[in-house]
Amino acid sequence: MSAFLTYLLNGLAVGCAIALIASGLVVIHRVTGVVNFAQGTFAVVAGLCASSLLGMGLPHGLSEVAAALAGAVAGLLTGLAAIGRRGTSPLSALIVTLGVGVLAYAVEIVLWGDQPRSAPGLAGSVTIAGARIQTQHLLVICVTAATFVLIALFFGRTYLGKALTACASNPYAARVVGIDTRRMGLLAFAIGGLLGGLAGVLITPLRPISFDTDVTLIVNGFAAAVFGALTRPVITLIGALLLGVAETMAAGYGYGSHQLEVALGLMILVMIVQASRRSTIHEETV
């Protein structure tokens, strides 16, 4: 029973990290209609930056904040490349984000090499109901919970957040009332980069990160985002938590190499269910 609880708590922490990646995908897609396949790159950039800054002797806190901001800058630059020109279709922008992810490989190898890097996190562990969980895992859970509360307050209570929501709901009406949808789209990419960077900063102490880690991150993040139909952050969070627990259970009771297959399998299953629901609704409407 204690082993099960340990896997469960660790799975929730993994799910929280996935949720941060997925929430960035959701924010960008809601505002621009673009599926950003460079989202995992933001986490990798931030994780590698955090490792370098801490290795240079910068204190904790400052290093992590600077690294997360580096993720936001990477998101903004990706947004400029993807939707910088007016009239760029979501499909064309999606292809650009794939290109940015490939280009990032070369940049990361030049700057940090091709060997995995890690960073020191919170040391120690905590015992909860007989289950032992690392303190860093608890930090991931707490930061993710606070982040989702801030996201809800930002989109629900601030003028800027409501402007972003307006762009997502009706871009034409948003332009009519004077909202610059292009700037809002760039802001969405920056926010997505910040969320991805935050995930990278939190997971780097838990597992080594390298230039190609973005593949696993984007697959997991996209699977969770698909669970929320790429539009609903709360459902996305639930999907990410379920995915994190499923992967940890698979690793704990089976083989760790099966984690990616679990993510892909759940993503395909959710897409099939959603497609069947949409076809049923369409038939009823007709």
Side-chain angles (χ1 to χ4, degrees), residues 33-264:
V34 176
V35 179
N36 175 34
F37 281 109
Q39 186 68 26
T41 300
F42 307 153
V44 172
V45 168
L48 293 174
C49 283
S51 176
S52 295
L53 293 174
L54 289 169
M56 293 166 55
L58 268 69
H60 281 286
L62 179 60
S63 297
E64 284 82 359
V65 170
L69 290 177
V73 172
L76 179 59
L77 293 176
T78 302
L80 286 170
I83 62 171
R85 292 184 59 186
R86 295 187 183 277
T88 304
S89 68
L91 179 58
S92 298
L94 181 153
I95 295 172
V96 171
T97 64
L98 286 172
V100 169
V102 174
L103 176 62
Y105 279 11
V107 175
E108 290 159 2
I109 291 174
V110 169
L111 294 178
W112 291 285
D114 59 355
Q115 296 302 309
R117 287 173 172 248
S118 187
L122 293 180
S125 60
V126 177
T127 301
I128 301 176
R132 185 174 294 276
I133 180 173
Q134 295 182 41
T135 308
Q136 183 70 22
H137 277 145
L138 284 180
L139 178 64
V140 174
I141 294 173
C142 294
V143 170
T144 301
T147 299
F148 271 81
V149 170
L150 291 175
I151 289 174
L153 293 175
F154 173 73
F155 281 100
R157 300 292 182 88
T158 67
Y159 174 80
L160 190 56
K162 291 179 180 179
L164 286 167
T165 303
C167 293
S169 301
N170 194 327
Y172 176 76
R175 287 193 296 269
V176 168
V177 299
I179 297 176
D180 190 330
T181 55
R182 176 175 167 273
R183 289 185 178 180
M184 292 297 103
L186 294 176
L187 176 60
F189 267 91
I191 294 173
L194 181 63
L195 292 169
L198 185 59
V201 167
L202 291 171
I203 64 175
T204 300
L206 297 173
R207 59 183 66 177
I209 196 166
S210 63
F211 70 96
D212 58 351
T213 306
D214 69 305
V215 176
T216 303
L217 295 176
I218 190 59
V219 168
N220 283 285
F222 186 66
V226 166
F227 190 85
L230 287 168
T231 56
R232 295 159 26 172
V234 175
I235 304 301
T236 297
L237 173 60
I238 295 173
L241 294 177
L242 291 175
L243 180 60
V245 171
E247 287 190 358
T248 305
M249 293 294 179
Y253 292 108
Y255 298 95
S257 59
H258 291 171
Q259 289 180 315
L260 189 59
E261 287 82 353
V262 170
L264 289 171

